[in-house]
Every structure is written in C-alpha cells, then in structure tokens.
Amino acid sequence: MSTASGLPDAVGSRRHGGSRVDVPSLALAVLLLVMGVVLAVDASGIEAPRGGGSVGPAAFPWAVAGVLLVLGVVLGAVSLRGRPDQPADPADAGVQELWPEAARRSADAPDDEPVAEPVPVGEERPPLLRVRPAVRVAVFAAGLIAHALLVNTAGYVVAALVLFVAVALAFGAPRLVRVVLVGLVLTLVIFYAFTVGLGLALPDLGGR
Amino acid sequence: MDGFADLIGGFGAAVSPENLLWALIGVTLGTAVGVLPGIGPALTVALLLPLTFKLEATSSLIMFAGIYYGGMYGGSTTSILLNTPGESASIISALEGNKMARSGRGAAALATAAIGSFVAGTIATIGLSFVAPFMVDLALSFGPPEYFALMVVAFTTVAAVLGSSVLRGLVGLVIGVTIGLIGIDVQSGQARLTLGVPQLLDGVDVVIVVVGLFAVGEAITVLASGERRSTVTPAAGSRWLSRSDFRRSWRPWLRGTALGFPIGALPAGGAEIPTFLSYSAEKRLSKHPEEFGHGAIEGVAGPEAANNAAAAGVLVPLLALGLPTSATAAVILAGFQNYGIQPGPLLFSSNNALVWTLIASLYIGNVMLLVLNLPLVGIWVRLLQIPPYYLYAGIAVFATLGTYAIGGSTVDLMVLYAVGALGFLLRAADVPVAPAVVGLILGPLAEEQLRRSLAISQGDVSVLWSTPLCIALLVVAVAAIVLPPLARIAASNKATRSRDRVG
C-alpha cells in the first residue's frame, strides 16, 4: 500500500533496487563478525569455576559466538550478491511474501472515487529546517548528545527542552516559538510529576 | 472444575476499584499508543517497567496486559484512517480498511474492527482460561532438556515468523541473545562481555534495549527515509454497523478467532501470520470477491479478529510456559521478573491468585476496550491529528527520561544511543527488531535450562535429545528454519512457471 500512497523509498540500497551490493546488510554482517570475535575473545577469558561440571559460564557464549560468526558470513555473502527489488516498506515485505497478490493488488489498483477526502496531518506550513534527511538525522543526534551532556549540568528541564526542540525541528516543525512553549510545558509537567508526584529525583536547574 | 473456581475468585479480585482503575489506565494507554504511529505496546510497557518498583505486582501486570490488549484495538484505527499502517499486526486491515474509509465507510470499518476485536478477544480469553491450565499440567512433567528444546523452538519460530526472511530473523534474535549475555553470570559470578566498563556489570537493562530499538532506532529510520506526509481520512458514515455489514462481519470474526488463537497459543507466536491467513481465507470465501482491494468489510473484520485472538493466544505460552513469543510479551515477562516471579507452570501454583486476577481483568479490559473504541472512537481519531514533529519530540523526551530514571547516569543514555544506532542499522538491513527483544529475554532463560540439563547429565550433551518429546521439539525447531526458504523457492518456481504460461 505504500506505493499506492506515494511514500518515499526506505533507507539505503533498497532505493536502487536491481542487484547491487546491499550496503546496510553488509555493514551489519561486519558488525556480526566483530561481535562474534569480541564474544569469543571474552569467552576465552572467562575462568571456569573450580570443581564445577563441564558447563561453565563460558559454554553458552562460545556457542553464541559461533552462531554470530556463521550468520555474519552468510549475511555477508547474501548482501554481496545483492538483493532483487525489495518493497520499499518493510511492513509490505511480509505482505508480499505471504500474500503477494494482496500487496500487488493494493499497489496497482487505482484508488476508488474518494468520498471522504484524506486530510494531511499537522499544518500545511513548510518546515523551518529544509535540509537533507542526513542533516535531519544529525540534528536529531545532536539533540540526544546535548541532552546527555546537559542533564547533569544544566538540569533536567533545560536538557529535555533542548532535546524536544531539536527533535521537533529535525522532524519538520514549522514554528519555533510554539515548539519551545509546548516543550517547556511538557518538561515542566514531567519534572514536577516526577519530583513532587512520584518522589523521584531529577536534576534541578543547574545540575545536582 | 478447579480452574473455574479460580477464575471466579480472580473476578472477585479484579473488580476491586483499584484493579479496575489499573485495567482502565492500561487499556486507555494501550489504545492511545496503538493509535499513535511510532509508539507501540512493547515500548510503552518498557517505559513503564520502572513502576514495578513502586506498584504491587497485580496492579502493574493488569496495567501491562491492558496496554497489550489496547494496542491491538488502537492499531486498527490507525490502519483504517491513516495512510501509514500502525502496528505490524494491523497492516492487513489497512488493505481494505483504508479503502473503506476513502469510500466513506470509515465508521463501518472502525466498528467492525472494534466489535470483531471484542468478540475475538473475549473468545480467545476464554480459550486462554481453559488451555493455560491444561498446558500447565503438561509442562509440569517437563525437565530442563524439554524446556531447552521448547526454547529452541521459540527461538527459531520467532525468527522465522517475525521477519522478512529466516536469516534476518535469526540475525535479530542472536543480536538480542548477545546483548543478554552482557553482565555478571548469575550462576558463577563471572563478568561476561562487559568490556571493562563497570556500569555494564549489571547487564544492559531491558528498558534501554527496547527503547533504543523501538524509539530511537525507529525515529532515525523515519528521518533518514525523508519526508513522509501522512494523511488522515475522516471516519464518515454511521458509527454502528448496518444490518448487512453485520451479516457480512460475524463469520469473518469467528473464523479470524479460530485462526488467531491457536497460532498465537503455539510457542511460535506472532499476530501477523494469522492476519495474512484470515485475509486470504475471507477473500476466498467471500460472496463479493470483486470488492477485495476496494474496501471489503470482510477483509477488515477477519484480520482484526485474528490479531486480537492471537494476542490473547500469546499469553498462553507466556503464562503457562514462561515463553514470550512477541516483543510485548517479552517485556511483560521482564515485568514479572522484576517481582521475582518467573512465569511458567509453577506460576499457577505459587501465584495462583495473581494469575487468575490477571486473566479475569483481561475479560473486563475487553469490555472497557469495546466502549473506548466504539462510542468513543472520535477521541482517538483526534489523536491522529497530532503532527509528527510533536509526536517524535515527545517520544524522544520520554525515551531518554525512561532510560535516565533507571540509574540516573549518562552512561545509560550513551548505551541507549548506541542501541538506537544499532536499531537503525537493523532496520536499514531489513532485520526485524522484535526477535532481538525476545532473544534478550529468552536467551538467559535458555542458557539456564541448558546448564541445568548438562549439570543433570554431568556434561553429556546427548541429554538434550534424550526423550521423544525433545526430539520432536528439535525437529520442529529445525523445520521452522528450513521450511520457509524451501517453500519460497517452490513458490517462486511456481510463479515463474505460471508467468511463462501466460507470456
């Protein structure tokens, strides 16, 4: 149904279709191999408890490391071979696999006369940040990092507000002032609900 | 009948004002997060896990189960009215539901989904009440080798069922199992995979993994995929089912239930497969097959009933065997563990009152959900109008808050971000994240059973296939991995052949 509704392609190589190298899968395969090696090295350093049976704390990690390495190799091989055209939405993948006809039909069939006209969610105004998706991800990540750096120094409300505004901008918020106000209300409510209501400590203004 | 008396006793406890309140909070929250795209019941329950330190076990588990059931109801509203599907188990309902909404029959679609969910949820909860004690009796004779074999079955079927391919499902699962290894081994006191970071000695908290994979990873995926303009179709038409709609709906409800509950109750799990099966069954049996693809009400009624029945079915292995077969079930299991309770056959004797109160509250929760989702559906439709930037900003704030609240340290936040980046990579590589959550929770339990088995046999590995039941289970486990690729090859051969014939 994603094709019918005109959703953009999902991330990564799927965009290209055909059978090029599947880069995300290849990266994941490398990660699996690294994890397998790290786990094996770690398992070899685990001391078996004295006088215990043959199954100590290292047996299961060894087995998991083996599975990681095997899956890493297989996934790597599969990703190098590339993938045939995949549905843009992973959600559709399941549909296509199990019931290809359903996916095809919903994608091909032109919409019937819409009686109830769909309305866009949110406002029609253009977003403040008009940048590439990669930059949006960077803004999002910056908000997360800033939050972690600020929470113990500037206090919870400031840190959470910075995060809220950064994420909202990354997701295309059109009005800065409104976002700041909504974020301030939310973070203040959370702060007082936690500290007064639940009696859990959150860092005060200016840190702990 | 012993179980029946227990159930009556459970109802007695469940109708206490306090438990009713927790059920109401649970189903309301569950419906809300089911409706909102980007948040699901697994993430919500994970964020609320810290409450287990404040609340009594019965209260919080009633709430968690309510969120689980509610998410299934709420997801259908999103599938029908929004052009982007909500929960994975509701994708199929979107096929027909969204078409119905666009042709001005949105209200009828919502109604058949809500009533179908209620019918299926109630029948399946009755099924749960009767099947669970039966499974408990069976499981009481299991030894560690049987349990280990059962968990291997759960591993492979979850990997096979919850992803686009068995390989990718297994990758998700093993990543979860690996994360589950981090920390001190309970039996020997040895630190494993902590990489010298002292904060990792306690392991990586379930909350961090689930929030990282589902909230942070999901947000990055949405951002990286570019602008995504969602549209809501107003729910036009009468709020109740017309006589003809009802006549076309009731059989699909029952058939969907009949498909959903057994499949959910098998330690294979997943609410997705039954919805696919129900959809194709309804299409084949319908008197109006030409309407399919243009808004056939049977295509909403059947799958919606199937996913709710499967959701209740998943609770059978969770409660009776301690086997979680969906991400939400895995997080609920973590909630049990926070109270030092291990679901499984002994749960029904050691915490009998708790289990039956929980099950009784599911019946009550279903009634609440019918009211919330039929006459009050307008409230949830308004929730769909929340712009995505507020939604994701709010999710980010709660995700970090939930993580920070665990230990009050920024190391936890960094682990969260790392898991989030991992979640993004998994999604980009088309690897499902739900098996990772199941692996995280089930991995340590499987290791425990494995070590117990080998301790009993004094290291003789053949104990793992020493009984016919073990062998049967392991065969099933292998079949779950081997059969789907074979079936796909067969299907594609067939497709090529039929295409050749046409061409």
Side-chain angles (χ1 to χ4, degrees):
Chain A
M1 65 157 288
S2 64
T3 343
S5 50
L7 290 183
D9 277 354
V11 276
S13 64
R14 260 170 267 162
R15 183 166 314 207
H16 307 296
S19 40
R20 294 192 195 176
V21 173
D22 175 3
V23 179
S25 295
L26 186 61
L28 185 61
V30 172
L31 180 69
L32 288 177
L33 294 176
V34 171
M35 281 168 70
V37 170
V38 169
L39 185 55
V41 169
D42 188 78
S44 64
I46 297 174
E47 292 164 33
R50 271 166 291 144
S54 58
V55 258
F60 197 66
W62 273 117
V64 176
V67 176
L68 278 170
L69 293 174
V70 169
L71 285 179
V73 169
V74 176
L75 185 65
V78 169
S79 65
L80 285 178
R81 219 176 28 187
R83 265 187 294 173
D85 270 316
Q86 282 274 319
D89 195 316
D92 283 356
V95 179
Q96 290 212 325
E97 188 151 310
L98 282 142
W99 218 70
E101 208 182 322
R104 212 179 317 132
R105 180 185 284 260
S106 84
D108 295 346
D111 280 344
D112 306 290
E113 284 292 293
V115 176
E117 197 59 53
V119 278
V121 172
E123 296 163 79
E124 290 290 5
R125 281 172 59 123
L128 270 176
L129 273 186
R130 298 162 96 169
V131 288
R132 283 179 298 127
V135 183
R136 291 170 184 274
V137 175
V139 172
F140 178 79
L144 289 176
I145 303 290
H147 179 77
L149 294 177
L150 287 173
V151 69
N152 281 336
T153 51
Y156 179 75
V157 174
V158 174
L161 184 59
V162 168
L163 176 67
F164 188 91
V165 173
V167 176
L169 287 178
F171 274 88
R175 298 168 213 248
L176 185 62
V177 179
R178 201 177 283 188
V179 167
V180 172
L181 286 179
V182 171
L184 192 62
V185 171
L186 177 72
T187 50
L188 283 174
V189 167
I190 290 175
F191 183 77
Y192 286 107
F194 259 68
T195 49
V196 181
L198 293 171
L200 293 171
L202 284 176
D204 233 326
L205 201 64
R208 319 191 149 224
Chain B
M1 173 97 209
D2 214 23
F4 194 67
D6 288 332
L7 182 59
I8 298 294
F11 268 106
V15 295
S16 78
E18 203 200 337
N19 285 339
L20 282 179
L21 179 67
W22 289 114
L24 183 63
I25 293 175
V27 295
T28 310
L29 262 177
T31 308
V33 301
V35 168
L36 291 173
I39 325 178
L43 176 61
T44 312
V45 175
L47 281 173
L48 292 174
L49 271 186
L51 281 182
T52 52
F53 298 113
K54 295 249 161 193
L55 281 179
E56 196 209 332
T58 316
S59 310
S60 60
L61 291 172
I62 285 178
M63 180 172 69
F64 293 163
I67 292 171
Y68 181 50
Y69 269 34
M72 286 288 161
Y73 278 78
S76 54
T77 306
T78 315
S79 303
I80 291 166
L81 299 183
L82 207 66
N83 63 342
T84 42
E87 312 309 312
S88 54
S90 297
I91 291 163
I92 283 285
S93 342
L95 291 179
E96 300 300 323
N98 200 245
K99 290 273 158 44
M100 280 183 76
R102 287 184 183 215
S103 53
R105 308 224 307 126
L110 290 175
T112 197
I115 302 174
S117 297
F118 172 75
V119 170
T122 305
I123 296 177
T125 308
I126 296 173
L128 165 70
S129 318
F130 286 97
V131 174
F134 175 73
M135 209 180 247
V136 164
D137 288 342
L138 201 69
L140 281 174
S141 63
F142 288 3
E146 279 86 5
Y147 267 111
F148 180 70
L150 207 53
M151 284 168 179
V152 175
V153 171
F155 278 153
T156 60
T157 50
V158 162
V161 161
L162 297 182
S164 61
S165 78
V166 178
L167 169 65
R168 289 168 205 276
L170 281 176
V171 168
L173 179 81
V174 174
I175 286 178
V177 173
T178 308
I179 298 175
L181 281 174
I182 298 174
I184 289 186
D185 169 46
V186 190
Q187 289 185 42
S188 66
Q190 293 278 331
R192 298 195 297 193
L193 214 55
T194 55
L195 310 173
V197 181
Q199 281 90 343
L200 288 180
L201 284 174
D202 286 337
V204 181
D205 202 286
V206 189
V207 180
I208 297 179
V209 178
V210 175
V211 172
L213 291 179
F214 282 88
V216 182
E218 157 93 12
I220 303 175
T221 306
V222 171
L223 277 179
S225 67
E227 200 61 52
R228 173 190 286 244
R229 194 105 190 118
S230 297
T231 55
V232 183
T233 311
S238 158
R239 211 163 264 184
W240 303 93
L241 283 181
S242 70
R243 192 178 290 250
S244 81
D245 283 337
F246 183 83
R247 218 173 305 145
R248 288 177 60 178
S249 290
W250 71 268
R251 282 191 195 91
W253 291 338
L254 296 182
R255 279 193 291 259
T257 311
L259 282 169
F261 179 72
I263 294 178
L266 289 173
E272 287 84 3
I273 301 275
T275 61
F276 298 134
L277 294 178
S278 166
Y279 185 86
S280 60
E282 292 313 327
K283 189 177 174 252
R284 210 164 302 147
L285 293 169
S286 171
K287 290 200 189 88
H288 321 268
E290 74 285 353
E291 280 184 33
F292 274 76
H294 304 277
I297 195 165
E298 293 92 340
V300 181
E304 272 309 310
N307 76 28
N308 277 65
V314 165
L315 292 179
V316 174
L318 176 69
L319 294 176
L321 303 173
L323 277 185
T325 51
S326 75
T328 317
V331 184
I332 293 178
L333 179 64
F336 274 102
Q337 289 171 336
N338 280 1
Y339 289 107
I341 305 171
Q342 187 63 52
L346 296 179
L347 178 71
F348 280 77
S349 48
S350 62
N351 287 286
N352 192 46
L354 185 150
V355 180
W356 288 105
T357 309
L358 182 63
I359 292 177
S361 77
L362 293 175
Y363 289 91
I364 299 169
N366 256 316
V367 178
M368 291 177 172
L369 281 166
L370 183 64
V371 176
L372 280 179
N373 285 276
L374 203 55
L376 301 180
V377 72
I379 301 170
W380 309 113
V381 175
R382 222 163 299 154
L383 217 52
L384 283 175
Q385 301 282 0
I386 297 178
Y389 48 86
Y390 280 141
L391 202 57
Y392 282 99
I395 293 173
V397 166
F398 281 106
T400 48
L401 175 69
T403 303
Y404 187 80
I406 297 167
S409 91
T410 47
V411 175
D412 286 336
L413 287 176
M414 291 304 163
V415 175
L416 172 75
Y417 302 163
V419 176
L422 175 68
F424 169 62
L425 179 60
L426 291 179
R427 278 183 170 79
D430 207 14
V431 169
V433 293
V437 179
V438 173
L440 173 78
I441 306 288
L442 205 48
L445 298 176
E447 180 183 10
E448 193 186 326
Q449 299 296 350
L450 175 67
R451 283 161 79 171
R452 246 188 239 165
S453 310
L454 294 177
I456 293 170
S457 72
Q458 305 197 321
D460 182 5
V461 188
S462 71
V463 71
L464 296 178
W465 50 86
S466 57
T467 69
L469 184 58
C470 289
I471 296 173
L473 288 170
L474 292 173
V475 167
V476 171
V478 172
I481 291 192
V482 176
L483 287 185
L486 290 181
R488 186 156 347 123
I489 292 166
S492 73
N493 281 346
K494 205 170 124 200
T496 329
R497 240 177 294 136
S498 64
R499 213 178 304 134
D500 289 348
R501 217 175 299 139
V502 173

